[in-house]
Amino acid sequence: MTSIETGQGPRDDATRGQRAPVGRGAPPEHGATTGPVAGPNGGGEAAARRRDQAVRAAVEQGLIGPDAPVIALVDVAAIRASAAALQAAFAEVTAPGTPVLHAFAVKAANLVPVLRLLADAGLGCEVASPGELALAQAAGVAPERMVLDSPAKTVAELRTALALGIAVNADSFQELERLDELVAASPTASPLGLRVNPQVGGGTISALSTATATSKFGVPLRDDGPRGGSPAEVRAKVVAAVLARPWLTRLHAHVGSQGCPLELLASGVREVYELAEEINEAAGRQRITGIDLGGGLPVNFASDTVAPTYRDYARLLHATVPGLLDGRYALVTEFGRSLLAKTGTVLARVEYAKSAGGRAIAITHAGAQVATRTVFAPRSWPIRVAGYTPQGLPKRGPLVAQDVAGPCCFAGDLVAKNRPLPLLEAGDLTALLDTGAYYFCHHFAYNSLPRPGVYGFVADPGAAGGVRFATVREPQTVGEIVAESGGALSEALTGLDP
């Protein structure tokens, strides 16, 4: 198997602070390699073998090389397995016949072929902008299998969603007032909901904790701020708002994702369920008929093991909020990162190898432009790095502490710092693992570096190297960079009158 280091030993400055739970992909001691462990959601030993085979085939078929020094690979079998694991986990705990829409969070991977693959696997889309809506439409996702979430929806966005019949979760009382006017002007088939903030607290990454006391998302349920009144008054206002609007039939909450323990996620869901029960009791009938649980399952970035699993979460919900799953409520989920993280790999060529201050440094073509979060917030977003030879074979040899650097012109462009790996040399390849969500999908155009080509792969004994590839996104050309930067408007400013 590939020699892989998590880099989470005591000497790795870039990856402290995100240790996996013991027994669930806990990081090894410094200098130990991680062996892939089988798991659901598309991870484990089989996925690691497929990755090794795909890297070797990518070299053999010329997808990566001196003229294409960075690419991204997407494991199609792993995506299908991840979608199936999600569906099976909830089917196991919900009453027969319970409507469940698993809406993939498009922000996690805004690639149309990926969205189409997920749609074919039975998933819908959660969108948060006109662009994401257009991507879901391009993938052929039906409007009734979409959900629109955003804290800053314009009137035009709302009007479009209502005309198409897309579900909408209002983020504030002011947005409800906008919906009052739009619904009155033109009836809609869209399921409409209100996002609430259960204010149950945050996880270890504040930027991804959306149920804190001061979160910008949703209507806070425990607020005593200058605009909210007492918690009792706010809660009463929520109940009254729903009762006054016969078309408002859903509640929505999202506690967070990476860094949030399952118990925190479940506690937020319980708060929303209890609010739904309170509203229905006040109405004397079931006014709230659907609950959107949000997404947010954390990902284990320490090994190939998938932990926690969707089954872990579904079973915890069954134990914590059994009434939610008894068939009275239609359910929506909005998972993103957890569905795709372990299905993607960024593969980059080592252009040069050097040393400074006694430390080896590998200069590669994958840095902040594809691993933006890891470079700028390494303690929160550590990723594993695997080494391969120029032929695409797993790199062997004694472990040497070294930096793995990207191509951007600033000193902090490091995807791994002081990481123990077999010594990387010019012409070798580095693989940034668990990067199927958010990494190569959201390019950071520093130094006008081009977006890499993205290629999906499946095993095929008849193809070179036993792998067949399909282009998901063409590599960006220099001409496209110039065009996006106003190349056709070069005289726009010089032509202005003084």
Side-chain angles (χ1 to χ4, degrees):
M1 299 305 301
T2 311
S3 177
I4 302 169
E5 291 301 320
T6 66
Q8 295 195 2
R11 292 179 59 194
D12 185 9
D13 299 332
T15 55
R16 289 199 196 111
Q18 193 181 13
R19 290 184 173 271
V22 174
R24 290 190 172 182
E29 295 302 317
H30 179 66
T33 58
T34 60
V37 179
N41 298 19
E45 187 172 353
R49 285 197 300 268
R50 290 196 302 269
R51 180 176 64 230
D52 283 353
Q53 188 177 19
V55 170
R56 188 167 61 251
V59 173
E60 184 175 341
Q61 296 183 34
L63 292 181
I64 189 165
D67 296 328
V70 58
I71 63 173
L73 301 177
V74 176
D75 185 342
V76 172
I79 292 177
R80 288 182 172 137
S82 189
L86 170 59
Q87 293 165 314
F90 274 79
E92 190 176 273
V93 298
T94 52
T98 301
V100 182
L101 171 63
H102 296 294
F104 172 72
V106 173
K107 59 182 174 287
N110 56 351
L111 299 168
V112 171
V114 171
L115 302 182
R116 178 59 180 268
L117 181 63
L118 290 169
D120 286 352
L123 274 60
C125 283
E126 183 261 343
V127 301
S129 72
E132 290 186 354
L133 171 57
L135 294 174
Q137 290 175 313
V141 179
E144 62 269 20
R145 300 190 64 75
M146 295 188 204
V147 180
L148 173 63
D149 290 318
S150 166
K153 307 179 199 71
T154 66
V155 171
E157 288 176 62
L158 291 171
R159 185 178 291 115
T160 296
L162 297 180
L164 292 172
I166 295 170
V168 175
N169 289 319
D171 194 74
S172 64
F173 288 126
Q174 290 179 6
E175 190 174 337
L176 282 182
E177 292 171 0
R178 284 188 177 181
L179 286 172
D180 283 335
E181 297 180 8
L182 293 171
V183 171
S186 180
T188 178
S190 296
L192 300 176
L194 175 65
R195 178 169 183 170
V196 297
N197 174 8
Q199 294 179 295
V200 292
T204 60
I205 304 176
S206 60
L208 297 184
S209 299
T210 53
T212 59
T214 57
S215 172
K216 72 177 184 180
F217 292 102
V219 175
L221 292 182
R222 304 178 181 178
D223 212 5
D224 56 2
R227 294 177 178 166
S230 70
E233 291 172 334
V234 171
R235 197 174 185 93
K237 188 175 180 180
V238 170
V239 174
V242 175
L243 295 180
R245 295 170 171 86
W247 44 263
L248 194 57
T249 60
R250 285 186 178 180
L251 292 177
H252 169 50
H254 175 63
V255 171
S257 54
Q258 198 66 21
C260 292
L262 295 190
E263 292 75 15
L264 183 68
L265 304 180
S267 69
V269 172
R270 183 179 61 244
E271 290 281 338
V272 177
Y273 166 77
E274 290 175 351
L275 176 61
E277 294 284 276
E278 180 180 339
I279 291 170
N280 289 339
E281 183 177 358
R285 60 189 179 88
Q286 189 164 1
R287 281 292 315 280
I288 297 297
T289 59
I291 296 180
D292 187 332
L293 315 182
L297 202 69
V299 172
N300 167 32
F301 287 101
S303 76
D304 281 309
T305 302
V306 175
T309 66
Y310 291 125
R311 175 173 287 180
D312 293 334
Y313 183 46
R315 289 183 173 182
L316 179 61
L317 289 178
H318 187 265
T320 305
V321 203
L324 175 73
L325 309 171
D326 65 10
R328 290 178 296 132
Y329 293 98
L331 303 178
V332 178
T333 71
E334 300 175 357
F335 295 105
R337 178 184 300 106
S338 58
L339 272 163
L340 293 189
K342 290 195 173 296
T343 71
T345 301
V346 174
L347 192 62
R349 192 169 184 267
V350 178
E351 195 66 39
Y352 300 105
K354 60 172 70 174
S355 64
R359 182 179 299 173
I361 304 171
I363 307 295
T364 82
H365 288 272
Q369 88 277 25
V370 291
T372 313
R373 284 178 169 176
T374 293
V375 168
F376 288 108
R379 292 178 181 272
S380 296
W381 297 103
I383 54 175
R384 296 179 293 149
V385 177
Y388 292 86
T389 69
Q391 296 75 35
L393 300 174
K395 184 81 174 181
R396 308 295 187 190
L399 301 181
V400 177
Q402 55 199 297
D403 291 353
V404 182
C408 298
C409 288
F410 65 94
D413 186 26
L414 303 171
V415 295
K417 185 177 180 181
N418 204 21
R419 185 73 59 90
L421 288 164
L423 186 62
L424 295 168
E425 303 287 357
D428 283 341
L429 302 173
T430 57
L432 310 186
L433 309 184
D434 307 327
T435 49
Y438 291 101
Y439 280 80
F440 50 78
C441 306
H442 300 290
H443 189 75
F444 177 42
Y446 198 93
N447 288 140
S448 296
L449 290 165
R451 290 186 294 270
V454 181
Y455 305 94
F457 67 88
V458 294
D460 183 351
V467 174
R468 179 158 46 95
F469 293 98
T471 301
V472 174
R473 184 184 69 199
E474 294 281 358
Q476 188 180 29
T477 67
V478 172
E480 289 169 338
I481 293 174
V482 173
E484 289 183 2
S485 301
L489 306 170
S490 62
E491 298 181 2
L493 300 180
T494 57
L496 288 175
D497 293 333

